[in-house]
Amino acid sequence: MDSMMRNGAMRIFIGLMMLTACLAAPMQCHFNSQALCEYEGKQYSMGESWMEQGCIQCTCLHPVGVGCCETVHQPVDFPAWCEVRVETLTCQVTLVMTSDPRLLCIPGENNIDPRHGAINMNLAG
C-alpha cells in the first residue's frame, strides 16, 4: 500500500510540475522526501502549494515529501547593454537598459548600443 501511495504522489508531483512548466516555465525542480509540508509556521495538505522566497513554488506531497520548482524563467538571448531584473515580491522578470534601469530594453527595437550614440536618432532631414 505504501508503494502505491508513493507512486500516486509521484504522479501528482510530475503532473503539477508539468502544469507549472506550462504556466511559469520553471528552471529547476527538486524533490525532498524528508521535508515537511510546512512553511513559515503554516501547515499544508496533500496537493497544496506555497511560494517560498526566491520565487520557488513548493507542493506538498504528504506523506512522501515536498517538491519545489523555480518559477522565474530568465531570458538568455539579449543585447549586452541590457540586464535582467527580477522583482522578488511578484517574481516578475524585466529586461532593462544597463545604463539606465528605468528604461525597458526591448530586443529588436532599441538595437543600438547606447554607448555609441543616441537611440532612435532621426537621420531623415
Side-chain angles (χ1 to χ4, degrees), residues 112-121:
I112 302 170
D113 186 339
R115 296 171 294 195
H116 298 288
I119 297 176
N120 298 329
M121 192 163 80

Side-chain angles (χ1 to χ4, degrees), residues 55-91:
C55 303
I56 306 289
Q57 182 177 10
C58 294
T59 302
C60 176
L61 303 170
H62 180 74
V64 295
V66 174
C68 298
C69 288
E70 294 178 357
T71 60
V72 175
H73 183 79
Q74 296 192 15
V76 292
D77 187 19
F78 53 88
W81 57 88
C82 299
E83 65 183 48
V84 176
R85 295 279 173 102
V86 178
E87 171 57 48
T88 56
L89 295 176
T90 63
C91 299

Side-chain angles (χ1 to χ4, degrees), residues 1-2 4-13 16 31-38 43-50 58-68:
M1 179 71 173
D2 189 38
M4 288 177 57
M5 223 160 46
R6 286 181 188 265
N7 286 339
M10 284 307 288
R11 284 187 189 135
I12 290 171
F13 175 68
L16 287 170
F31 176 77
N32 184 343
S33 63
Q34 302 300 313
L36 300 175
C37 293
E38 180 180 329
Q43 296 285 333
Y44 292 87
S45 300
M46 173 70 159
E48 288 186 310
S49 295
W50 63 92
C58 294
T59 302
C60 176
L61 303 170
H62 180 74
V64 295
V66 174
C68 298

